Amino acid sequence: MHELNQYKANETEMKLIVENQYEDTDFVFARETGKSIFPCTLTHVSNRANKAAGVKKVRFHDLRNTHATLLLEVGADLKKCTCLHQNNW
């Protein structure tokens, strides 16, 4: 949780720096301008982190599917989990 709070603080600081160029899209993770991160960037960062951690290569999309499955296992709403799967980006 500390890391997310720090990320939010950095995001708030960035909003002040770029002022009217910031597009508040309400993404958890975004580029410096607030716009969405390119999917290939997420894949690249994920692959680097996996390699550094000694974890086998996993597609970023597979992480989303695993997340939805784990949510269902603990009783999350099926409709909300389906929305995770249908969000193509």
Side-chain angles (χ1 to χ4, degrees), residues 34-50:
K35 294 183 180 181
S36 64
I37 298 173
F38 295 115
C40 62
T41 302
L42 292 173
T43 300
H44 178 71
V45 170
S46 177
N47 289 342
R48 271 197 345 231
N50 288 344

Side-chain angles (χ1 to χ4, degrees), residues 2-70:
H2 171 75
E3 289 81 6
L4 286 175
N5 287 332
Q6 183 62 45
Y7 184 86
K8 185 68 175 171
N10 292 343
E11 180 186 46
T12 301
E13 185 178 329
M14 186 56 66
K15 284 180 184 180
L16 294 173
I17 293 170
V18 297
E19 295 180 2
N20 61 347
Q21 296 175 359
Y22 192 86
E23 184 179 327
D24 200 349
T25 54
D26 205 29
F27 290 124
V28 175
F29 298 104
R31 293 187 289 175
E32 293 83 2
T33 58
K35 294 183 180 181
S36 64
I37 298 173
F38 295 115
C40 62
T41 302
L42 292 173
T43 300
H44 178 71
V45 170
S46 177
N47 289 342
R48 271 197 345 231
N50 288 344
K51 185 175 182 179
V55 176
K56 72 175 189 164
K57 189 174 181 178
V58 178
R59 295 180 312 156
F60 198 81
H61 180 83
D62 294 336
L63 297 175
R64 183 173 60 181
N65 291 342
T66 300
H67 180 240
T69 301
L70 293 172

